[in-house]
Amino acid sequence: MRILVLGGTVFLSRAVATEAVRRGHDVTCASRGTSGSPPDGARFVRWDRAEPVPAELAGATRPADDTFDAVVDVSGTPSQVRRAVSAFPGAHWTFVSTGNVYADTATPGGTAATSALVDPVETDEDPLSGPAVYGAMKVACENLVREGASAALVIRPGLIVGPGDPSGRFAYWPAYLAAASADGRPVLVPQDGPVQLVDVRDLAQWVVAGAERRLVGDFDAVCPSVPRSEVLAAVSDVVAGSPELVVAPTAFLDERGVKPWSGPRSIPLWIGDPAWAGFMRRDVTASLEAGLTIRPFADTAQDTLEWLSATPDATVTGLTRAEELDVLDALAGAR
């Protein structure tokens, strides 16, 4: 099968290209080529998606029997998706969207089939301006794919984790548990709550398998909701020494200026705001029935820890270790 991966050089899109090559497909990766390289075995075509489709990809320059059977796109920019769908309408399209498309983040148990979406933003805005704008542009991209492609699979991941993660959110936990094991101090954790995530390799396998089967429909792409403590226990199991975990109340973390989810001075995988109580309590039964598989958290943690060891400049977002120890000292003094 001929698969066009729009991207193919960074994290998820590269994992998709790698999996497609592994399964014996004819893979072309198209990107600017400024953020990484495609996997061995994949053809690379340079394409700045602000520009017209290059001749190497345009259908007019290929023999009639040399068309793409499947396209995988991770873009969140409507103009890019509009241009690409117009160029390859006959292919099976997999569009990787986001859980930020949902209008209701407070109600647990939502599904891809029943949850309302935010209103689309069809213009190209700055996705870094916030999750609301990012989600709204993804909705517009979803609509373009459904309207323009002969077959469309829309996948909405939450937190994608594993080796190569440029966000550094999951990586925070194996990194800091390992640091605590080395310095003998505890690790700061928030009060327990739900977590949903997906290993990038599990997601890539599902994307390629879906293209092979010409799967259609809208699906979430995360594991069933589990307590954060279960994920952290799995991480702790792969870190020598099993450091002590010290739980801090949400109110205390707020008072100390500790932020949720990601970014400087944050604790990743944590959202204390009740308005987001349903964000990591999605019902993913349909996704599992459609072929999504989830590997053990300990496997993801072990592989991420090995990747961090081999990649000294890897991003790890959140509190610095010094900031974390300051908060731990303050918590001890308050008790």
Side-chain angles (χ1 to χ4, degrees):
M1 187 165 74
R2 296 182 179 93
I3 300 179
L4 172 62
V5 180
L6 297 176
T9 61
V10 178
F11 199 39
L12 174 58
S13 64
R14 194 178 197 281
V16 169
T18 299
E19 177 65 12
V21 169
R22 187 188 71 82
R23 294 165 84 123
H25 297 298
D26 181 350
V27 180
T28 298
C29 298
S31 75
R32 291 178 299 171
T34 58
S35 300
S37 59
D40 292 342
R43 173 187 177 222
F44 176 71
V45 174
R46 195 173 304 281
W47 181 19
D48 181 337
R49 293 183 62 183
E51 303 297 331
V53 181
E56 294 167 272
L57 298 178
T61 69
R62 299 194 310 267
D65 63 347
D66 188 20
T67 57
F68 293 111
D69 302 294
V71 176
V72 178
D73 194 3
V74 300
S75 177
T77 304
S79 67
Q80 294 180 357
V81 175
R82 184 180 295 110
R83 183 178 295 111
V85 172
S86 297
F88 313 109
H92 173 278
W93 268 75
T94 300
F95 180 70
V96 181
S97 187
T98 172
N100 291 117
V101 299
Y102 294 118
D104 179 4
T105 59
T107 306
T111 71
T114 61
S115 300
L117 307 183
V118 299
D119 292 334
V121 169
E122 298 177 354
T123 53
D124 296 354
E125 308 296 337
D126 179 4
L128 299 180
S129 60
V133 172
Y134 173 66
M137 287 199 297
K138 282 285 195 178
V139 172
C141 294
E142 288 187 9
N143 293 340
L144 289 166
V145 171
R146 290 193 205 91
E147 293 164 2
S150 63
L153 170 62
V154 173
I155 292 178
R156 297 169 180 152
L159 183 62
I160 307 174
V161 303
D165 175 14
S167 79
R169 288 173 290 190
F170 179 81
Y172 174 95
W173 293 106
Y176 278 55
L177 283 164
S181 179
D183 65 24
R185 298 291 302 275
V187 172
L188 178 72
V189 299
Q191 291 175 301
D192 207 4
V195 170
Q196 288 184 296
L197 45 77
V198 63
D199 189 294
V200 65
R201 297 159 296 183
D202 294 335
L203 181 52
Q205 289 170 9
W206 192 35
V207 166
V208 178
E212 292 171 343
R213 295 164 47 202
R214 293 186 67 84
L215 179 66
V216 298
D218 302 341
F219 297 92
D220 289 331
V222 283
C223 68
S225 186
V226 297
R228 187 184 305 103
S229 56
E230 181 177 326
V231 176
L232 297 186
V235 177
S236 185
D237 285 345
V238 305
V239 174
S242 297
E244 178 188 4
L245 306 182
V246 175
V247 178
T250 297
F252 179 84
L253 294 175
D254 289 341
E255 290 169 3
R256 302 297 300 184
V258 179
K259 299 177 181 179
W261 195 244
S262 68
R265 202 171 171 76
S266 70
I267 294 182
L269 274 67
W270 165 62
I271 303 179
D273 186 346
W276 290 86
F279 185 67
M280 289 192 281
R281 286 192 175 101
R282 304 284 302 169
D283 179 351
V284 294
T285 302
S287 304
L288 300 175
E289 292 175 346
L292 174 63
T293 59
I294 303 296
R295 71 187 62 206
F297 300 130
D299 291 357
T300 299
Q302 179 66 57
D303 294 343
T304 301
L305 193 60
E306 292 176 1
W307 170 68
L308 288 171
S309 178
T311 315
D313 60 345
T315 298
V316 177
T317 192
L319 291 165
T320 66
R321 182 62 173 154
E323 289 171 340
E324 181 188 19
L325 293 174
D326 284 344
V327 176
L328 282 166
D329 290 341
L331 180 62
R335 288 178 170 174

